[in-house]
Amino acid sequence: MKIDGSCHCGAIRYEAEIDPAGVYLCHCSDCQAISGSPFRWAVTIPASDYRLLAGEPKTYVKTAENGAINHQVFCPDCASPLYSTTPVNDFATVNVRLGTARQRDALKPGMELWCRSQQSWLGTIEETERREKQVGT
C-alpha cells in the first residue's frame, strides 16, 4: 500500500510503500516518553521503500533497554516524529511513525509490543497479537 504524509508544520513530506498487515503499537516506556502518548503506532519497512520528498529531518540517537542504538528521526521545526532506524542492520529498515500518514484511518494495528509497559487504564484491541516485550531486534 502506498502512503504519504508530512510533519505537522508541513516542512517535511514523504511517501512510502508499506504492508498494512505489519502495523503495530509499541507500549515501551521509551515510546511513551518520546511520543508523549501511551503508545507508538508504526510499521517497519525496507529503507528503500521510504522516500523523503521535502525537508531535512533531525536525528536523536537513543539507547534502548537492551543496549541497542536507535535513531529517532523527526522534524526540527515542529518535532513531529517521522521514523526510527538502527545501525544494527546498516539502517536497512525504518519504522514509519503512522500519525504523520494521510492514510492513517486505514492502518489498524495487528500487533502490540511491550505490553508489560502498557498503561493500566488502556483497553485492549481484541484482534491484535500481544507480546510482553519485543522479540528480535
Side-chain angles (χ1 to χ4, degrees), residues 30-95:
D30 283 348
C31 282
Q32 290 174 23
I34 291 171
S35 71
S37 75
F39 52 80
R40 173 93 66 180
W41 178 31
V43 64
T44 303
I45 63 171
S48 59
D49 288 347
Y50 185 93
R51 288 166 297 289
L52 191 62
L53 302 175
E56 286 296 323
K58 187 171 181 176
T59 300
Y60 165 67
V61 179
K62 78 169 188 78
T63 303
E65 179 182 288
N66 65 0
I69 301 299
N70 195 288
H71 291 214
Q72 303 288 318
V73 181
F74 62 97
C75 174
D77 295 326
C78 68
S80 295
L82 300 164
Y83 64 88
S84 70
T85 187
T86 178
V88 169
N89 61 5
D90 292 326
F91 304 103
T93 60
V94 297
N95 302 296

Side-chain angles (χ1 to χ4, degrees), residues 24-28 111-115 131-134:
Y24 65 90
L25 300 181
C26 182
H27 297 281
C28 79
M111 181 180 295
E112 296 181 68
L113 303 172
W114 290 97
C115 292
R131 297 183 182 175
E132 287 302 301
K133 61 183 206 171
Q134 187 170 346

